[in-house]
Amino acid sequence: MGIGLGFLLVNLGRLASSDPEQVSVSSITLFVTLLCICVVLGHLLEENRWINESVTALVIGLGTGIILLLATNGVSSRILEFNEELFFIYLLPPIIFNAGFRVKKKQFFRNFMTITLFGAVGTMISFCIIALGAKLIFDKMQMGYLELQDYLAIGAIFSATDSVCTLQVLNQNETPFLHSIVFGEGVVNDATSVVLFNAIQKFDLSEINSAMALKFFGNFIYLFIASTLLGVLMGLLSAYIIKKLYFGRHSTDREVSLMILMAYLSYIMAELFDLSGILTVFFCGIVMSHYTWHNVTESSRVTTKHMFATLSFIAETFIFLYVGMDALDLEKWKFASESPGKSIGASAALFGLIVLGRASFIFPLSYLFNLSKKSKSEQLSFKQQCGICWAGLMRGAVSMALAYNQFAKSGHTKQPGHALMITSTITVVLSTTVVFGLFTKHLVRFLFPPSDNEDGTVPSEPSSPTSLTLPLIRNGEGSEANGTSRSVRRPSSLQMLLSSPTNAVHYYWRKFDNGFMRPVFGGRGFAEFVPGTPRDEEESNNHLI
């Protein structure tokens, strides 16, 4: 394989200035070959404590970029031109949808307020700190011509965490609470950063006043609510269509095709209406896994479950592989080589602002969260706060795509300031992904050692707040395990809401879901049962809330 890959790289270098069609075929062949290598190495390094698939893909991309530079005599280190539309339209949707489709919904909605607090409010705080800090530092460094819009864009770009890489090094079974918080916050964080970035692009920032600030905030809230509702509606529509028509009696291919197309349609419609496609396709995935997935046949369930995961895996690997190759593009580093001090200073400043922005909202917001909890066991421990803070320091493909959108129009950097921002973004993405990616597993094991688990066979978060792990009330059947459910009188609605809002919301949601939603849209228990249908523990944990 190594000889064939080298031969292909040399041929690609020779064809670079000849037949464009042949170059395209060679490029696709090379990328597919590299993806296969990433899959094989990822399998071989599965048990490695240091290397994860993201770092593996980055290293392979860097190595390929070096070979391409040698094969093309320094002309190019990549075989495809990066296009932010390629990322946002084709690569990001399957990743976010699969995240929503496979999320453990009980754990996610139990922690929903904490996730929203960190993902939305925290991102806004980080955005302000990074934007303001970048303006103060870069003005003194004389980075080049950067406008107010550029500095605000920098705040949005570097507030977007890389949840993909983080979740690859967090085990959902060993640290369920930490995984749920980091996962949910990562999705909300990415959506918030993209919404902020798009809003910055649309508003005229020449004159900032209170009216514009209110309009900006109103537009931000509207995008969040509208995007979420669109995702829910598309998910319900797919469930209703499949339940009523029951495609499976004639062809499971139609069921699978409709689920895939409806999921992608939700994202495209959000982009068409200038909404947040990330939020839309995420909540569409949650609703489809709760209703639509249970309305299809057994073969369709198995197929869709693995197909969505496969598409997401390939897209993730493709992104990190390309980022590694594109990091060596000489055109971007031309201005950086002329002023290496500025390049290093800008990267170091952005790295410091990312850490400062992250710490500036994790610990204060955690303190406010703990003030609302009476019992110490319900509060976020300092170890948990450190784990959440560390896990969100990585920057990845979203930051890269937004940086290209802002500073590299049509793939060319004509202004020195813009070129330095592109190279600084690449440096920050590579350094945070490699450094934090290598040490996250060890930090989690240090903060939450397996020996602290309550059950040695089924690991769980040792310090999860008890308010987030209480058994959910189901029509008075909340404590069957200890045999006391029949003797416990259910409190009044108001008393339940005040004493345990999470359980109260879940109780009334289950009544509404079982009484109206499931009979109309289907779902587990209201769809035709097919013998042999997967009913494992993961599915039983995937109830909504």
Coordinates of all heavy atoms in Angstrom, one line a residue, residues 2 45 56 64 80 85 87 91 93 107 123 166 186 198 227 248 266 269 291 309 317 327 340 427 468 488 495 535:
G2 N 2.0 1.2 0.8 CA 2.9 2.4 0.8 C 3.5 2.7 -0.5 O 3.6 3.9 -0.9
L45 N -5.0 1.4 16.7 CA -4.7 2.3 17.9 C -5.8 2.5 18.8 O -5.8 3.4 19.6 CB -4.1 3.7 17.4 CG -2.9 3.6 16.5 CD1 -2.6 5.0 16.0 CD2 -1.7 3.1 17.4
T56 N -4.6 11.0 14.7 CA -4.1 10.1 13.6 C -4.3 10.7 12.2 O -3.4 10.7 11.4 CB -4.8 8.7 13.7 OG1 -4.5 8.2 15.0 CG2 -4.2 7.8 12.6
T64 N 1.2 13.5 4.3 CA 0.8 13.6 2.9 C 1.1 15.0 2.3 O 1.6 15.1 1.2 CB -0.7 13.3 2.8 OG1 -1.0 12.0 3.4 CG2 -1.1 13.2 1.3
L80 N -7.1 19.1 -2.9 CA -8.4 19.7 -3.1 C -8.4 21.1 -2.5 O -7.7 21.4 -1.5 CB -9.5 18.9 -2.3 CG -9.7 17.5 -2.9 CD1 -10.7 16.7 -1.9 CD2 -10.3 17.5 -4.3
E85 N -18.2 26.1 2.0 CA -19.5 25.6 1.6 C -19.5 24.0 1.6 O -20.5 23.4 2.0 CB -20.0 26.1 0.2 CG -20.3 27.6 0.2 CD -20.8 28.1 -1.1 OE1 -20.9 27.2 -2.0 OE2 -21.1 29.3 -1.3
F87 N -17.8 22.2 3.5 CA -17.8 21.8 4.9 C -19.2 22.0 5.5 O -19.8 21.0 6.1 CB -16.8 22.7 5.7 CG -17.0 22.5 7.2 CD1 -16.5 21.3 7.8 CD2 -17.5 23.4 8.0 CE1 -16.6 21.1 9.2 CE2 -17.7 23.3 9.4 CZ -17.2 22.1 10.0
L91 N -20.3 18.1 4.8 CA -19.6 17.4 5.8 C -20.2 17.6 7.2 O -20.2 16.6 8.0 CB -18.1 17.8 5.8 CG -17.3 17.5 4.6 CD1 -15.9 18.0 4.7 CD2 -17.4 16.1 4.2
P93 N -23.5 18.4 8.3 CA -24.8 17.9 8.6 C -24.8 16.4 9.1 O -25.4 16.1 10.1 CB -25.5 18.0 7.3 CG -24.9 19.1 6.6 CD -23.4 19.0 7.0
Q107 N -30.2 11.7 29.7 CA -29.1 12.4 30.3 C -29.0 13.8 29.7 O -28.7 14.8 30.5 CB -27.8 11.6 30.1 CG -26.6 12.1 30.8 CD -26.6 11.7 32.3 OE1 -27.5 11.0 32.7 NE2 -25.7 12.2 33.1
T123 N -20.8 30.9 25.8 CA -20.2 31.2 24.5 C -20.2 32.7 24.3 O -19.3 33.3 23.7 CB -20.9 30.5 23.4 OG1 -20.9 29.1 23.6 CG2 -20.3 30.8 22.1
T166 N -13.2 16.1 21.1 CA -13.3 15.9 22.5 C -14.1 14.6 22.8 O -13.6 13.9 23.7 CB -14.1 17.1 23.1 OG1 -13.4 18.3 22.8 CG2 -14.2 17.0 24.6
G186 N -21.1 21.4 23.5 CA -20.4 21.5 22.2 C -21.4 21.8 21.0 O -21.1 22.7 20.2
N198 N -22.8 34.7 11.6 CA -23.7 35.1 10.5 C -24.3 36.4 10.8 O -24.5 37.2 9.9 CB -24.8 34.0 10.3 CG -24.2 32.7 9.8 OD1 -23.2 32.7 9.1 ND2 -24.9 31.6 10.0
S227 N -34.9 27.9 14.6 CA -34.1 26.7 14.2 C -34.5 25.5 14.9 O -34.7 24.4 14.3 CB -32.6 27.0 14.4 OG -32.2 28.2 13.7
G248 N -42.3 0.1 4.6 CA -41.7 -1.1 4.8 C -42.4 -2.3 4.2 O -41.8 -3.4 3.9
S266 N -34.0 19.0 6.4 CA -34.1 19.9 7.5 C -33.0 20.9 7.6 O -33.1 22.1 7.8 CB -34.2 19.1 8.8 OG -33.0 18.5 9.1
M269 N -33.2 23.4 4.5 CA -34.2 24.4 4.7 C -33.8 25.4 5.7 O -34.1 26.6 5.5 CB -35.5 23.7 5.2 CG -36.2 22.9 4.1 SD -37.8 22.2 4.7 CE -38.7 23.7 4.9
Y291 N -39.3 9.1 17.5 CA -40.5 8.7 16.8 C -40.3 7.9 15.5 O -40.7 6.7 15.4 CB -41.4 9.9 16.5 CG -41.9 10.7 17.7 CD1 -41.3 11.9 18.0 CD2 -42.8 10.1 18.6 CE1 -41.8 12.6 19.1 CE2 -43.3 10.9 19.7 CZ -42.7 12.1 19.9 OH -43.1 12.8 21.0
A309 N -24.1 6.6 11.5 CA -22.8 6.6 12.2 C -21.7 6.5 11.3 O -20.6 7.2 11.5 CB -22.8 5.4 13.2
T317 N -13.4 12.1 9.7 CA -12.0 11.7 9.3 C -11.6 12.6 8.1 O -10.4 13.0 8.1 CB -12.0 10.2 8.9 OG1 -12.5 9.5 10.0 CG2 -10.6 9.8 8.6
A327 N -2.6 22.6 6.2 CA -1.8 23.3 7.2 C -0.4 23.7 6.6 O 0.2 24.6 7.0 CB -1.6 22.6 8.5
P340 N 7.7 36.4 11.2 CA 7.5 35.2 12.0 C 7.1 35.6 13.5 O 6.4 34.9 14.2 CB 8.8 34.4 12.0 CG 9.8 35.4 11.6 CD 9.1 36.4 10.7
T427 N -2.6 27.1 13.2 CA -1.7 26.8 14.3 C -2.4 26.5 15.6 O -2.1 25.5 16.3 CB -0.7 28.0 14.6 OG1 0.0 28.3 13.4 CG2 0.3 27.7 15.7
L468 N -29.3 15.4 39.1 CA -29.3 15.1 37.7 C -29.4 13.6 37.5 O -29.5 13.2 36.4 CB -28.0 15.6 37.1 CG -27.8 17.1 37.2 CD1 -26.4 17.5 36.6 CD2 -28.9 17.9 36.6
V488 N -45.9 5.5 48.6 CA -45.6 6.9 48.5 C -46.6 7.7 47.8 O -47.0 7.3 46.6 CB -44.2 7.1 47.8 CG1 -43.9 8.6 47.6 CG2 -43.1 6.4 48.6
Q495 N -46.4 21.5 44.2 CA -45.3 21.1 45.1 C -44.2 20.3 44.3 O -43.1 20.5 44.6 CB -45.9 20.2 46.2 CG -44.9 19.7 47.2 CD -45.6 18.8 48.3 OE1 -46.8 18.6 48.3 NE2 -44.8 18.3 49.2
R535 N -33.8 -4.2 21.0 CA -34.3 -3.5 22.2 C -33.3 -3.6 23.3 O -33.5 -4.2 24.4 CB -35.6 -4.2 22.6 CG -36.8 -4.0 21.7 CD -38.1 -4.6 22.2 NE -39.2 -4.4 21.3 CZ -39.9 -3.3 21.2 NH1 -39.6 -2.3 21.9 NH2 -40.9 -3.3 20.3

